[in-house]
Structures are given as structure tokens and as C-alpha cells.
Amino acid sequence: MYPNDQPDSYVLGRSERETRRLILQHQIYGPLTRRFFTAAGIGSGMKVLDIGSGAGDVALLLADLVGPSGQVTGVEMNAEILATARARVEAAGWRNVTFLPGDAMRLELDRDFDAVAGRWVLMHVADPVALVRRLTGFLRPGGIVAFHENDFTYPPTVLPPTELSAQFQRWAIPPPGAPGAEMRMGTKMLQTYVDAGLPVPQLQVEAPAGGGPDWPGYEYQAETLRSLLPVLQQRAGIDPK
């Protein structure tokens, strides 16, 4: 169980290998997240709340954006992974980044943040509208809400297509309505913000692309499938032991 005895709904698991997969994920999506946060207005001197910090990649990116005069506070349900996040922040030399273990729906935080941000977080929570609504209460007037979410209605594509890539999609992307993560969260962002009482948001759509023998995308897809394997076995009625 996790803080406050809340069940863990993160379908990719909490293994050391999953931690390494998250770091690999940032190699691919980090540039997109940086452009998105910059376009949202996150910049020098700001105090930013990072939700679902994981291994610390987004917090490190935010620290770079706000600089030494800013401040980043990360919240993460998986307390164990925060040891990795803190070590990486220390190695990077940042002194203005702190992490808190716990559920953002329950933690009491300062109410003077300039921005709240996260990447691929809302897709994993049971009620994203309620979470966004609560997080806005920690913002100063005029604060920024910037969540980078995906939409797997447009799944990773290989050109030319192969049977292996098609099989990967069948395994890794559940059909609409399946239990677990909301695979269409990116497309649902506008309605989520409006339902949370926010103005209609400015949306930005971007996808990474790559190729060649050194592109990390191939390893990332393989590691994603490995992290999903226990869930896939459970759905198929296979005992992972």
C-alpha cells in the first residue's frame, strides 16, 4: 500500500527496471516537455509544484527553467523512487528542489505556487478533474496549470509497418474502456480543465520521431513492454510465477 493506505494504480509497476525506463523515457520526451512548459509560461524565478515526480526528470527540467532564484517542490506517491530523484538532484547541483512523499489529493502544501506541472500523471489517477481542481488551490492568482499528457489513440508507429510493431501495439495499448490508465488523456485535457473550473486551456500537440541504430526509442518500447508484462499476464489469466 502507499501513503494514506491508497491503492497503487500505476500499471507499469515500481521496479528498479521501471525507474530506469522512466529515465529513458525522458531522453525521448524531455525536449517536448521543455517546449511545452516554456510555452505555458514557466520561467526564471518561479515557484513550481511538480506532481508525480518519479525519478526526478521533470523536476530537474523545471529546476533548469526556473533557475537558482526559483523553487521546485515535487510530490510522488512512491516514496522509494524519491531516493533516486534526490540523488540525481544532488548530483546536478540543484539546492532549490525538494521532494515530498504522498498523495497530492491529501497533502497540505503552500498556497503560493506560480505553477503546477506534471507529465503523464493525470492518465494514471482515478479522478483527474478532482485532482486538477485541488491543485489549483495551491496556486497564487493567475498561476499556471501545465500537464503534459499523451493520447494513445495515436499509438507509436513504425514505418514501414511490421508484424512485430503491430503486435506491440496490441499488447501495449488496451482497447477503449479497459481498466487502468486513461489512454486518451491528452485529448481529454480541454474538458478536464473546464470541468475543474479553469478557463479553456491553450493546447499543444507534438510527437517525437527518430530512427537509426542509436535511437533510444526501440529500447524504450521494449522496456515499456517489460514493465507491462505482469499486467498483461494477469489479463490473460497467466500466473507470472
Side-chain angles (χ1 to χ4, degrees):
M1 304 295 282
Y2 281 74
N4 300 310
D5 292 330
Q6 294 299 300
D8 185 12
S9 60
Y10 187 63
V11 297
L12 290 155
R14 303 293 185 179
S15 67
E16 291 184 9
R17 191 155 197 165
E18 168 59 13
T19 298
R20 292 194 297 271
R21 189 196 73 86
L22 290 173
I23 295 172
L24 180 65
Q25 174 178 280
H26 187 70
Q27 294 179 26
I28 301 170
Y29 288 92
L32 281 67
T33 306
R34 176 181 290 273
R35 287 191 288 272
F36 171 60
F37 287 165
T38 300
I42 297 176
S44 179
M46 286 188 170
K47 182 177 180 180
V48 182
L49 179 60
D50 170 37
I51 302 299
S53 295
D57 290 290
V58 171
L60 284 165
L61 189 159
L62 289 167
D64 191 51
L65 290 178
V66 303
S69 62
Q71 181 180 341
V72 178
T73 299
V75 174
E76 168 59 47
M77 286 189 68
N78 178 12
E80 293 181 4
I81 201 173
L82 288 183
T84 297
R86 292 186 178 108
R88 297 177 72 204
V89 165
E90 183 176 358
W94 291 108
R95 298 291 181 264
N96 59 343
V97 180
T98 58
F99 294 102
L100 300 174
D103 183 351
M105 284 297 293
R106 295 173 178 249
L107 284 176
E108 288 302 324
L109 303 165
D110 294 340
R111 296 183 178 273
D112 61 349
F113 286 94
D114 297 296
V116 57
R119 181 174 65 199
W120 294 18
V121 175
L122 299 181
M123 66 184 295
H124 292 291
V125 302
D127 191 342
V129 171
L131 178 59
V132 171
R133 184 183 296 121
R134 185 169 199 271
L135 294 174
T136 59
F138 302 130
L139 292 172
R140 63 167 180 78
I144 297 166
V145 181
F147 281 97
H148 180 178
E149 297 289 333
N150 211 336
D151 190 327
F152 289 94
T153 304
Y154 310 96
T157 302
V158 174
L159 292 175
T162 67
E163 177 54 35
L164 179 60
S165 65
Q167 183 64 68
F168 172 85
Q169 290 186 12
R170 290 192 291 269
W171 281 332
I173 303 174
E182 174 51 76
M183 307 303 287
R184 299 169 297 165
M185 193 66 235
T187 299
K188 290 186 173 185
M189 289 304 294
L190 189 150
Q191 193 63 51
T192 298
Y193 274 48
V194 171
D195 289 348
L198 297 174
V200 173
Q202 181 178 353
L203 304 178
Q204 179 175 315
V205 179
E206 190 175 4
D214 298 326
W215 187 53
Y218 307 120
E219 182 183 359
Y220 172 67
Q221 289 199 358
E223 291 300 326
T224 297
L225 199 58
R226 286 192 179 96
S227 289
L228 285 171
L229 187 57
V231 171
L232 296 175
Q233 290 174 321
Q234 183 182 39
R235 289 174 180 171
I238 299 172
D239 186 348
K241 298 180 180 179

